[in-house]
Amino acid sequence: MTDLPRRRGLPPLILALLYTGAVLLPLAFAAAAGEAHRHVTMQFAAATGTVAAGMILLQMISSGRFEAVSGRIGIDITMAFHKWAAPVALAFALAHVAFLIGLPDPERPYRVTRRLLFYATSDTLWDARFALLLLVLLVVLALLRDRLPARYQIWRASHALGAVALVALLVWHILGDGRMGPAGTALWIGFALAVTLPALWVYVKRLTRPARDCWTVAGVRKLTPRIWELTLDNPQGHRLRFRPGQFVWASVGGRRLPLHDHPFSIASAPHDPQLRLLIQEVGDFTSSLGSVTPGTRVGIDGPHGSFGPSGKPRGGLVLIAGGVGIAPALSILTDLAHRGSACPVRFAYSAHDTKDMIPQEMLRPALEALNVTPLLMASTGTGDGVAQGRLGKAQMQRLLDGLDPAQTEVLICGPGPLMTSLTDLLAGMGVPLSQIDYERFSYGSGALSRKDKRMLGGFTLLFAALSAAIAAYSLT
Ligand SMILES: Cc1cc2nc3c(=O)[nH]c(=O)nc-3n(C[C@H](O)[C@H](O)[C@H](O)COP(=O)(O)OP(=O)(O)OC[C@H]3O[C@@H](n4cnc5c(N)ncnc54)[C@H](O)[C@@H]3O)c2cc1C
C-alpha cells in the first residue's frame, strides 16, 4: 500500500502570527531605536509607509508557490489573501502620502498645494513616485485581469517583473530616507532578500530541473468534446508522491520557466505508475492539447495544494464534482477504493450536458469497490442514470441521508457558483464549515460562500491588527 505524504505547511494561526510579526518588525525596530517625528501626522506617515512596504514585500511569498505557506491552508486561501492584501497595502501607501501632505491649515492656505507640488516634482522622490505608480498599476491590472485583452501568460510575466521592480524601488526609497542607521539598513535589505530570493529560486531551479521532474506524454485522449486526458510516464521510473486531491504545475513541451506552467489536479491515484491529468479546453494552451503527441516532454512541479480528504476517520465523506472538477474526485475515489476504505462515501457529479461528462467506465471500478451509487446530473441531454437538472437542496439532502452532518466531511470541486451555493446549502443542513473543503480552478472574482466570508473576516481582523499597531506607534 502506497504511503500518503504528510500535509506540509504551517497552520493558519502560525502563518497569521508570522505575517503580522514580519510586517511589524521594522516598525518595532524604529520604535526601539527611538526614531520619532515631531508631528503626529508624520508619525502616522512613517508608520503607514513602513507597514505598506512590509506588506508589499511579503506579497512575493504569498503567491501560491511555497508549500510552507499554502501546504496546509490551501491554494484558495493563499491566493485570496494575496488578492486582498494588495489593495490594503495600496490603501496604507496612499495613507502614507496623505499623512505626508497633511490636512489643510486655514492659517497657511497654500501649505497643502506646496507640499503636493513638492512630492509630485522633487528630484529626490522619483523612486517613491515610480513605486506608487507601479503599485497602483499592479493592483488595478490584477483586479481587471480577466477583462484584459492580453494573454494570461503576458499578464503573469508583467506581474512578476513589476513585483521585483517594485521591491527594488521600495527598498531604494526607504534606504534613501537617510535617517536609518546601519542596523535599520541591514534589516530592510535582509527583509527584501528573504522574500525575493525564494521567489527568484522558483524560476532559477527550473533551469536545473532534476530529470525526475521531466515526464513524457504516454497518451492523449479526448474524453468529451472539451476534456482531454493526458497520461504521463516518467522515464526515470520516478513516482510522484502526492495526496489524492492535490495538483501539479505542468509545462508542456520543454518550456522551462514557470511562466509556462499551468495548474492541473492529478486525476490518477498515488499508487498508479502513470500520472493522469484531465484538462478542459478554455484558452490558448488548453485548446492546443490536440496537437500534443506521445513522447512530448512535460515538466511537472508538485505536488501542491491541500484539497482532499483530511485522512481522519469521520462519519462519512461526501464528494461533489462539477465539470472538470471530476479530476481530483477521480483520484480520491480510486485511492479510497484501493485502500479498501470503510468510511461511508457519497458521490455526486454534475455537468452542463451529459456529453460533457467523462465516460462512466472511468469511475465505475472505484464506485463499485466502495459500494457507492453515484448521483449524476446534467442540465441538458440524456444519459445512463443521469438525472436532468442542477445539484440543489434535494440532492444535498439525498447525499447526507443516513449520515450525521456534524461528522461528515464534504469535498467540492467544480465551477465557482456551484461550490458557493452548495457550501451554503450544506452548512445550512448542519455540516460544519470547517469540514467543507473546496478548490477553485480560477482565481477570478465571484460570489462568496459563508466559508469565504468567514475567511475574509479573518483577513479583516489581521488588517485591523496592523492598523491598531500603526495607531499605537503614532500616538505613543
Ligand atoms: C489548483 C488548480 C487546479 C486546476 N486543475 C485543473 C484540472 O484538473 N483540469 C482543468 O482542466 N483545469 C484545471 N485548472 C484550471 C487550469 O489551470 C486553467 O484552465 C488553465 O491553466 C487555462 O490555461 P489556458 O492557457 O488554456 O487558458 P487562458 O485563457 O490562458 O486562461 C483562462 C483562465 O485560466 C486561469 N489560468 C490560466 N493560466 C493559469 C496559470 N498558469 N495559473 C493559474 N491560473 C491560470 C486564469 O483564471 C485564466 O483567466 C486548475 C486550476 C487551479 C488553480
Side-chain angles (χ1 to χ4, degrees):
M1 190 80 54
T2 327
D3 275 344
L4 295 183
R6 281 157 55 97
R7 275 202 170 132
R8 290 182 287 160
L10 297 166
L13 186 62
I14 302 286
L15 281 173
L17 290 174
L18 283 176
Y19 182 87
T20 317
V23 171
L24 296 181
L25 182 68
L27 208 56
F29 181 85
E35 281 174 27
H37 299 264
R38 267 187 302 134
H39 296 289
V40 73
T41 46
M42 284 307 185
Q43 285 283 96
F44 267 108
T48 45
T50 306
V51 166
M55 290 179 74
I56 293 164
L57 259 57
L58 286 170
Q59 288 292 91
M60 298 291 281
I61 50 171
S62 65
S63 59
R65 284 294 180 138
F66 301 99
E67 278 303 282
V69 178
S70 58
R72 185 78 67 94
I73 59 172
I75 192 87
D76 260 26
I77 295 184
T78 310
M79 293 317 296
F81 185 77
H82 188 78
K83 210 167 104 177
W84 283 96
V88 174
L90 174 60
F92 282 136
L94 292 174
H96 169 65
V97 178
F99 280 121
L100 285 174
I101 293 168
L103 290 173
D105 179 352
E107 288 178 18
R108 290 186 289 169
Y110 297 111
R111 199 187 64 149
V112 167
T113 323
R114 267 205 313 273
R115 283 200 180 178
L116 255 176
L117 265 177
F118 170 74
Y119 290 120
T121 57
S122 163
D123 286 345
T124 55
L125 289 173
W126 64 270
D127 43 12
R129 285 194 297 273
F130 269 120
L132 190 61
L133 190 68
L134 198 49
L135 177 60
V136 172
L137 262 178
L138 286 172
V139 173
V140 171
L141 291 182
L143 291 175
L144 295 178
R145 194 197 64 209
D146 284 342
R147 274 173 261 163
L148 294 177
R151 284 177 54 201
Y152 184 86
Q153 261 55 33
I154 307 278
W155 169 80
R156 201 158 154 219
S158 64
H159 195 73
L161 288 174
V164 174
L166 177 58
V167 167
L169 277 170
L170 264 182
V171 175
W172 185 263
H173 171 59
I174 293 166
L175 301 186
D177 183 47
R179 297 185 321 122
M180 208 170 293
T185 305
L187 176 77
W188 276 107
I189 292 179
F191 195 168
L193 290 178
V195 294
T196 315
L197 292 182
L200 290 179
W201 176 240
V202 170
Y203 282 74
V204 173
K205 79 172 179 192
R206 284 311 180 74
L207 303 172
T208 56
R209 195 201 284 274
R212 57 178 218 155
D213 291 349
C214 298
W215 295 64
T216 51
V217 174
V220 190
R221 183 163 70 121
K222 200 161 194 176
L223 299 179
T224 77
R226 285 181 59 213
I227 297 182
W228 293 87
E229 178 193 58
L230 210 63
T231 319
L232 307 175
D233 274 333
N234 189 287
Q236 306 276 315
H238 168 71
R239 261 190 201 189
L240 190 70
R241 288 193 73 229
F242 63 94
R243 299 172 64 85
Q246 287 193 289
F247 72 94
V248 290
W249 291 95
S251 55
V252 173
R255 293 171 147 176
R256 289 187 161 205
L257 288 180
L259 284 178
H260 302 292
D261 281 355
H262 290 268
F264 294 112
S265 301
I266 306 169
S268 46
H271 64 273
D272 290 334
Q274 289 183 315
L275 207 58
R276 180 159 44 166
L277 308 174
L278 304 188
I279 301 179
Q280 175 160 294
E281 292 180 4
V282 290
D284 41 315
F285 166 68
T286 47
S287 302
S288 69
L289 286 170
S291 60
V292 172
T293 50
T296 304
R297 284 171 56 189
V298 178
I300 292 289
D301 173 7
H304 291 278
S306 68
F307 182 70
S310 65
K312 293 176 207 140
R314 301 233 177 221
L317 176 71
V318 172
L319 195 54
I320 304 170
V324 78
I326 191 65
L330 184 58
S331 175
I332 293 167
L333 287 170
T334 314
D335 181 63
L336 288 173
H338 177 70
R339 286 174 193 284
S341 167
C343 168
V345 177
R346 305 287 163 83
F347 170 63
Y349 174 29
S350 76
H352 179 65
D353 192 285
T354 42
K355 66 178 187 308
D356 300 325
M357 300 177 104
I358 63 165
Q360 289 192 33
E361 307 88 80
M362 293 178 74
L363 295 161
R364 200 165 289 132
L367 294 177
E368 280 176 3
L370 293 166
N371 200 17
V372 173
T373 308
L375 176 53
L376 306 173
M377 289 205 89
S379 307
T380 54
T382 49
D384 182 17
V386 184
Q388 270 215 343
R390 286 158 175 255
L391 293 176
K393 192 170 180 185
Q395 289 72 31
M396 294 307 106
Q397 274 163 345
R398 231 176 99 186
L399 289 175
L400 287 178
D401 189 30
L403 299 178
D404 174 3
Q407 294 299 317
T408 300
E409 190 173 341
V410 179
L411 298 172
I412 317 174
C413 195
L418 175 99
M419 295 193 289
T420 306
S421 63
L422 297 188
T423 298
D424 288 353
L425 274 174
L426 288 158
M429 292 174 187
V431 181
L433 285 177
S434 58
Q435 285 166 213
I436 306 177
D437 192 10
Y438 50 76
E439 184 162 81
R440 289 192 166 82
F441 280 1
S442 157
Y443 306 132
S445 49
L448 300 177
S449 70
R450 278 200 223 174
K451 195 174 167 81
D452 295 326
K453 287 180 192 152
R454 199 167 75 165
M455 170 190 76
L456 285 186
F459 294 171
T460 309
L461 260 179
L462 198 154
F463 299 140
L466 296 180
S467 308
I470 290 175
Y473 172 87
S474 311
L475 298 173
T476 51

